[in-house]
Amino acid sequence: MIEVQEFITSLRSRLRDEAVEKNYSDNELIDFINNAYFKLQIALKLFNDEAVFDLALFSQKKQKLLLPPMAVTLNACFYNDRPVRIVSYEFFIKNKHEELTLSLNNQEILLSPKKDKGFLKINYSYLKRVANIEDYVEIKPYAFNAIIFYAMFLAFQKEPRVDSLQKSQYYLNLYEEEVKEAKNIMQAMLSTKDLCTEYQYV
């Protein structure tokens, strides 16, 4: 975890905004950090959870199946521990489905064919945000620059200078490279973990 203050200090240094009269307030920089944080969370699927629905209970109460409020992406779905196909809403409504199929209409979970019993388990990614400089951004150090670069991209988009758009694009490119590197590191760490687990079972 990295304190928000560390991000703000780094951003002010890069933006040359360290004078007494600041061009950017702490709240503005926190907004940039949150937007970058959201972007990175979605790209790397940093925070994941699962929810289990008793379909018989929902059917009896005639309640809709809804994603948890902070969920942003649906990663996997299982009906009685069997994988369920996930499709776009447009494809879902335009086709008949013999195989159990799931889609989303905003936060509502849709199933076809409909099921009124059994258990539906979903795995989803969700977002976290920060509110003040004492909060912590829950990332590994290798993802620090990704947030800095995307926040810089946002900051330069709002500046009126002639070269701001060029600088903005420059930092967006840097952000994309950092995300690729972070994914490579995460994959390498996962592979190492799997290797260690394999040896533990030998």
Side-chain angles (χ1 to χ4, degrees), residues 4-192:
V4 171
Q5 179 63 70
E6 191 170 339
F7 287 96
I8 289 179
T9 300
S10 180
L11 285 172
R12 290 203 186 283
S13 176
R14 287 177 177 273
L15 292 166
R16 298 179 182 177
D17 189 30
E18 298 172 295
V20 176
E21 292 289 332
K22 299 288 193 283
N23 294 321
Y24 298 94
S25 69
D26 284 348
N27 286 339
E28 285 179 300
L29 293 181
I30 288 172
D31 283 343
F32 293 155
I33 290 166
N34 266 322
N35 284 327
Y37 194 19
F38 293 160
K39 185 85 171 176
L40 190 66
Q41 288 176 62
I42 293 170
L44 301 182
K45 296 182 178 179
L46 292 180
F47 305 114
N48 303 290
D49 205 347
E50 64 179 34
V52 179
F53 301 92
D54 182 342
L55 298 183
L57 187 60
F58 276 82
S59 178
Q60 289 171 7
K61 294 183 177 181
K62 296 182 179 180
Q63 292 179 333
K64 293 180 178 179
L65 300 175
L66 298 175
L67 281 178
M70 289 300 288
V72 290
T73 56
L74 189 59
N75 302 325
C77 180
F78 303 88
Y79 174 70
N80 291 340
D81 294 326
R82 299 184 66 177
V84 176
R85 183 174 64 150
I86 302 173
V87 301
S88 70
Y89 179 67
E90 183 179 3
F91 182 88
F92 183 86
I93 61 175
K94 286 184 177 180
N95 296 275
K96 292 184 178 180
H97 308 285
E98 295 183 4
E99 174 189 357
L100 184 59
T101 301
L102 179 145
S103 188
L104 297 175
N105 182 17
N106 295 319
Q107 292 296 106
E108 184 180 358
I109 300 170
L110 305 173
L111 285 173
S112 180
K114 291 185 178 181
K115 297 288 183 181
D116 57 8
K117 60 182 179 179
F119 291 89
L120 183 72
K121 181 170 71 174
I122 61 168
N123 179 280
Y124 62 92
S125 297
Y126 62 93
L127 295 179
K128 293 186 178 184
R129 63 177 289 117
V130 294
N132 54 63
I133 60 175
E134 290 83 17
D135 284 348
Y136 284 85
V137 176
E138 296 182 38
I139 58 168
K140 299 293 185 183
Y142 58 75
F144 179 85
N145 280 340
I147 287 184
I148 291 295
F149 292 155
Y150 196 81
M152 291 292 292
F153 158 73
L154 295 173
F156 278 117
Q157 277 201 323
K158 292 193 172 184
E159 289 197 358
R161 296 196 313 240
V162 175
D163 62 344
S164 292
L165 288 180
Q166 184 178 354
K167 288 184 177 180
S168 180
Q169 186 60 48
Y170 169 75
Y171 278 105
L172 180 60
N173 293 341
L174 288 179
Y175 162 78
E176 290 171 351
E177 289 301 316
E178 288 294 322
V179 169
K180 289 179 185 177
E181 183 61 23
K183 287 180 177 179
N184 289 337
I185 292 171
M186 292 172 70
Q187 186 59 47
M189 292 172 65
L190 183 61
S191 299
T192 303

